[in-house]
């Protein structure tokens, strides 16, 4: 059930270069699943006008709190970064279809790139609770933009890659993936489309779920801003309402 | 009659609020959020004869107090709209206004003839103002003779009243309004989006894959209001006004300028509950203004006659 709620900011802090961690409290937390996203109105004004889609990084239903991580990229996220404890947060959500957590049986591989890393955190927590071993491969630009390495490490084996080589493996997540065993039954990935394509091509025989990033308008499937060509019977899919998580192979391109 | 009700050709509106075409799909997404029977009407997404995928992405870009879009009339085509989308909407007690688009005059005629006979379609909205397609669209809405001829041709085949959606991308919108009135239009809807651009500051590259797109949202409201006001002075046709409506005050402004009802576009993307919220808040707004009904406010701005003191 999609709802619009004025939630309350519990806390916000910058945890890495331009990466903010915001926790908010409200009743729609009870409906959230890993891999879904929320659509945030940064300010009650015409500037910025549109909502900002941000993935859900952690869900605490008993406290009615959720955490989202985002990178400041422009006017909307800069305004959002100014929110303080006690401020109201206009949230539409939860939106989209999340990761199917029950698909993984014994061991799962989680691959995230940059701001695609956050939704994998709640997924890792839930898989771990279900008794599934998780291996995490996280890619970032540079050491100063790495976040949640210790949080992921507390759940399972975690590898970090940075493009400039200032932390972990130098290069992309694929450089790490090529050097680790593929003894997992299911993989989950979120990040830029070229990364998702590379991950998909590495594991053609495995069950995989990919979460896509795309410029969005409404977030509920009405505006047709975030369409992608599809490889299945559908002419196209909308990332916001048909996704953002799709089984590997569905999104063309 | 309820104080919010408005009667227009083909349309018995419970209230003057309806979602604008292209901002509401075919209603399915919003039907999950609220009862669509609350709405005055629904202007469904433009329908063309064949299915259209639309333009490449990026298709939207935010601008100061507005947004640009270049979706490109993506829709499943006439056949699927008739067999899947319109039947879905039949469960709601709400009149449907079918937005009709095409590349050539024959497309408009064929789609209008067929779609106007669907049981819940109470009016056709001729889309002669889409700025985002290579052929057709806006080309029909910027030349008065073409606009008139198309209106006549569609009027001849339509089973329901025909409203013409006007483009603001013209020097004199009144001229187009008068032309479609002469062509037999039953009403006007206005305005479509204003052509615009946004560039990447670093590279100079246009953000939209289509390069240009249609501007909508609060940024366009003053332009829309002025155009409704000018057209109201020169035609008796009913006007469904739109352009940046997101608050009850905006609804009042459009009614005052001469609109008989209003459509809400971009605001649906920011607050999907905006239409029912406006409907709920409108009676209180009428009370504040001492108005008994919506129609008491229609055109009241024209009481302030301009004493021409300009050079």
């Amino acid at each position: 059930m999609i709802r619009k709620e004025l939630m309350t900011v519990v806390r916000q802090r910058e945890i890495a270069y331009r990466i903010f961690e915001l926790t908010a409290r409200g009743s729609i937390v009870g409906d959230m699943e890993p891999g879904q996203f929320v659509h945030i109105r940064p300010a009650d004004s015409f500037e910025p006008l549109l909502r900002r889609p941000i993935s859900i990084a952690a869900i605490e239903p008993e406290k009615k709190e959720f955490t989202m991580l985002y990178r400041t990229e422009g006017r909307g996220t800069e305004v959002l970064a100014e929110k303080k404890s006690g401020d109201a947060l206009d949230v539409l959500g939860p939106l989209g279809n999340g990761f199917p957590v029950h698909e993984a049986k014994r061991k799962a591989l989680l691959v995230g790139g940059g701001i695609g890393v956050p939704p994998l955190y709640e997924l890792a927590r839930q898989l771990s609770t279900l008794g599934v071993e998780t291996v995490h491969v996280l890619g970032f630009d540079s050491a100063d933009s790495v976040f949640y390495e210790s949080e992921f490490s507390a759940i399972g084996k975690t590898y970090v890659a940075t493009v400039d080589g200032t932390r972990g493996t130098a290069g992309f997540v694929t450089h790490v993936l090529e050097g680790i065993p593929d003894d997992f039954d299911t993989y989950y990935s979120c990040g830029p489309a070229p990364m998702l394509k590379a991950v998909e091509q590495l594991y053609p025989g495995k069950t995989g779920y990919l979460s896509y990033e795309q410029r969005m308008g409404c977030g509920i499937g009405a505006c047709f801003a975030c369409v992608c060509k599809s490889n299945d019977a559908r002419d196209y899919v909308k990332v916001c309402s048909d996704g953002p998580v799709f089984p590997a192979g569905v999104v063309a391109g | 009659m309820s104080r919010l009700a408005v009667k227009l050709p083909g349309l018995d509106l419970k209230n003057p609020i309806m979602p604008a075409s292209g901002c509401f799909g075919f209603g399915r997404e919003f039907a999950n959020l609220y009862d669509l029977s609350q709405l005055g009407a629904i202007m469904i997404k433009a329908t063309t004869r064949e299915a259209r995928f639309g333009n490449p992405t990026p298709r939207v870009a935010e601008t100061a107090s507005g947004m640009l879009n270049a979706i490109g009339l993506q829709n499943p085509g006439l056949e699927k709209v008739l067999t899947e989308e319109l039947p879905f909407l039949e469960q709601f007690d709400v009149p449907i206004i079918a937005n009709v688009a095409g590349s050539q005059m024959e497309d408009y005629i064929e789609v209008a003839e067929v779609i106007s006979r669907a049981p819940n379609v109470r009016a056709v909205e001729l889309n002669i103002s889409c700025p985002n397609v290579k052929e057709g669209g806006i080309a029909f809405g910027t030349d008065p003779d073409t606009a008139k001829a198309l209106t006549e041709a569609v009027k001849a085949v339509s089973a329901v009243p025909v409203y013409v959606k006007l483009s603001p991308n013209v020097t004199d919108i009144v001229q187009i309004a008068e032309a479609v009135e002469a062509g037999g239009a039953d009403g006007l809807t206005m305005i479509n989006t204003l052509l615009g651009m946004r560039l990447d500051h670093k590279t100079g590259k246009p953000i939209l894959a289509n390069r240009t797109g249609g501007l909508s949202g609060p940024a366009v409201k003053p332009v829309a209001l002025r155009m409704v006001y000018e057209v109201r002075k020169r035609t008796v046709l009913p006007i469904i006004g739109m352009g940046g409506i997101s608050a009850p005050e905006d609804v009042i402004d459009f009614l005052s300028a001469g609109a008989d009802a209003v459509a809400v576009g971009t605001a649906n993307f920011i607050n999907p509950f905006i239409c029912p919220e406006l409907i709920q808040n409108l009676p209180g707004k009428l009370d504040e203004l001492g108005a008994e009904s919506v129609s008491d406010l229609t055109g009241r701005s024209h009481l302030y006659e301009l004493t021409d003191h300009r050079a």
Side-chain angles (χ1 to χ4, degrees):
Chain A
M1 179 73 185
I2 298 169
R3 281 182 287 161
K4 183 165 71 80
E5 184 180 9
L6 276 184
M7 298 180 76
T8 305
V9 175
V10 176
R11 71 189 84 85
Q12 168 153 250
R13 60 191 181 118
E14 188 171 6
I15 58 167
Y17 176 62
R18 293 198 298 145
I19 303 290
F20 287 78
E21 177 193 64
L22 188 157
T23 299
R25 186 186 302 121
S27 66
I28 66 176
V29 170
D31 298 333
M32 292 179 177
E33 290 173 13
Q36 288 189 298
F37 66 97
V38 285
H39 219 16
I40 306 287
R41 193 160 178 215
D44 185 17
S45 76
F46 293 152
E47 188 58 41
L49 185 68
L50 300 174
R51 288 176 183 270
R52 301 298 193 262
I54 298 176
S55 62
I56 295 165
I59 309 166
E60 305 283 356
E62 63 289 346
K63 288 200 277 185
K64 294 190 175 174
E65 290 179 9
F66 86 103
T67 296
M68 58 186 204
L69 306 180
Y70 62 93
R71 184 168 59 211
T72 51
E73 286 284 352
R75 178 82 186 126
T77 41
E78 279 161 14
V79 169
L80 192 55
E82 289 163 14
K83 296 261 186 207
K84 302 211 164 24
S85 174
D87 286 352
L89 185 70
D90 184 340
V91 180
L92 180 71
L95 301 181
N97 303 291
F99 292 111
V101 288
H102 295 282
E103 284 298 313
K105 304 291 177 257
R106 182 182 47 80
K107 185 173 181 181
L109 173 70
L110 278 56
V111 185
I115 208 61
V117 168
L120 300 179
Y121 181 60
E122 179 61 28
L123 174 67
R125 299 208 307 173
Q126 295 204 8
L127 288 172
S128 176
T129 304
L130 292 168
V132 176
E133 181 188 351
T134 56
V135 175
H136 319 115
V137 180
L138 314 175
F140 301 95
D141 284 338
S142 186
D144 64 0
S145 55
V146 175
F147 57 88
Y148 270 35
E149 185 180 1
S150 60
E151 282 84 348
F152 277 98
S153 297
I155 301 170
K157 179 89 179 136
T158 300
Y159 302 87
V160 166
T162 52
V163 176
D164 65 1
T166 48
R167 183 166 193 93
T169 302
F172 297 109
V173 290
T174 42
H175 294 116
V176 176
L177 295 174
E178 282 156 5
I180 63 172
D182 63 349
D183 58 345
F184 55 89
D185 51 82
T186 308
Y187 70 89
Y188 300 91
S189 188
C190 182
M195 188 201 88
L196 298 179
K197 179 57 64 189
V199 173
E200 192 174 41
Q201 284 170 353
L202 270 178
Y203 307 114
K206 303 271 192 187
T207 302
Y209 295 93
L210 309 175
S211 182
Y212 285 78
E213 300 170 345
Q214 177 66 279
R215 190 181 282 258
M216 287 179 193
C218 68
I220 62 169
C223 79
F224 290 78
C226 64
V227 295
C228 294
K229 296 269 188 191
S230 149
N231 288 324
D232 61 21
R234 293 172 284 188
D235 294 332
Y236 62 89
V237 288
K238 300 174 199 163
V239 170
C240 70
S241 56
D242 296 320
V245 177
F246 295 94
V250 167
V251 174
Chain B
M1 201 157 112
S2 139
R3 62 196 301 216
L4 295 190
V6 176
K7 209 168 159 51
L8 301 179
L11 302 165
D12 273 323
L13 308 175
K14 294 186 194 88
N15 59 70
I17 311 289
M18 65 191 81
S21 180
C23 301
F24 206 73
F26 293 92
R28 288 182 190 271
E29 294 78 15
F30 295 85
N32 293 327
L33 305 181
Y34 62 86
D35 179 5
L36 303 187
S37 302
Q38 294 174 67
L39 297 168
I42 296 174
M43 294 165 143
I44 56 172
K45 195 154 170 43
T47 299
T48 52
R49 198 170 61 182
E50 311 296 338
R52 285 180 58 94
F53 177 73
N55 291 321
T57 58
R59 295 171 163 192
V60 297
E62 191 176 38
T63 59
S65 302
M67 69 175 269
L68 292 163
N69 89 80
I71 306 299
L73 299 181
Q74 180 162 15
N75 79 96
L78 177 61
E79 189 60 37
K80 277 199 174 159
V81 170
L82 286 173
T83 57
E84 293 173 18
E85 306 300 344
L86 285 169
F88 168 79
L89 288 165
E90 279 184 45
Q91 64 185 296
F92 305 105
D93 174 27
V94 60
I96 305 299
I97 302 174
N99 187 292
V100 169
S103 310
Q104 318 173 54
M105 195 179 282
E106 292 70 34
D107 301 339
Y108 283 94
I109 294 169
E110 187 179 332
V111 176
E113 180 166 14
V114 176
I115 210 166
S116 68
R117 285 166 174 81
N120 49 346
V121 169
R122 299 296 149 75
V124 159
E125 180 181 45
L126 261 192
N127 187 348
I128 57 168
S129 44
C130 177
N132 297 323
V133 289
K134 271 200 211 96
E135 294 174 327
I138 198 168
F140 288 98
T142 48
D143 174 64
D145 296 333
T146 313
K148 182 184 174 204
L150 182 65
T151 306
E152 280 171 349
V154 170
K155 264 300 281 179
V157 298
S158 177
V160 295
V162 174
Y163 291 68
V164 180
K165 188 165 187 176
L166 302 183
S167 171
N169 302 300
V170 292
T171 309
D172 182 8
I173 197 166
V174 171
Q175 203 187 3
I176 309 290
E178 288 176 334
V180 301
E181 183 173 28
D186 297 286
L188 303 171
T189 66
M190 57 189 291
I191 57 173
N192 207 318
T193 54
L194 285 139
L195 264 174
M197 277 185 105
R198 186 181 151 193
L199 306 177
D200 181 294
H201 303 303
K202 285 188 195 129
T203 62
K205 185 184 174 193
I207 300 273
L208 296 172
N210 190 52
R211 300 195 297 278
T212 62
L215 181 67
S216 63
V220 310
K221 185 188 151 191
V223 178
L225 209 52
R226 182 267 295 179
M227 288 184 161
V228 168
Y229 180 84
E230 287 186 343
V231 168
R232 176 76 298 155
K233 278 197 286 196
R234 301 284 289 274
T235 169
V236 295
L237 288 181
I239 297 173
I240 301 174
M242 69 194 85
I245 292 175
S246 64
E249 291 76 10
D250 301 323
V251 176
I252 301 297
D253 283 350
F254 274 88
L255 296 173
S256 302
D260 299 277
V262 301
V264 180
T266 305
N268 288 291
F269 299 154
I270 298 150
N271 173 10
F273 301 94
I274 186 69
C275 286
E277 285 178 14
L278 288 173
I279 292 163
Q280 200 181 351
N281 292 329
L282 204 48
K285 208 70 210 167
L286 294 183
D287 290 343
E288 262 177 49
L289 296 168
E292 182 48 45
S293 69
V294 163
S295 54
D296 288 355
L297 300 174
T298 299
R300 64 182 177 144
S301 302
H302 296 271
L303 299 172
Y304 302 90
E305 277 295 313
L306 180 69
T307 310
D308 204 338
H309 55 265
R310 293 168 297 182

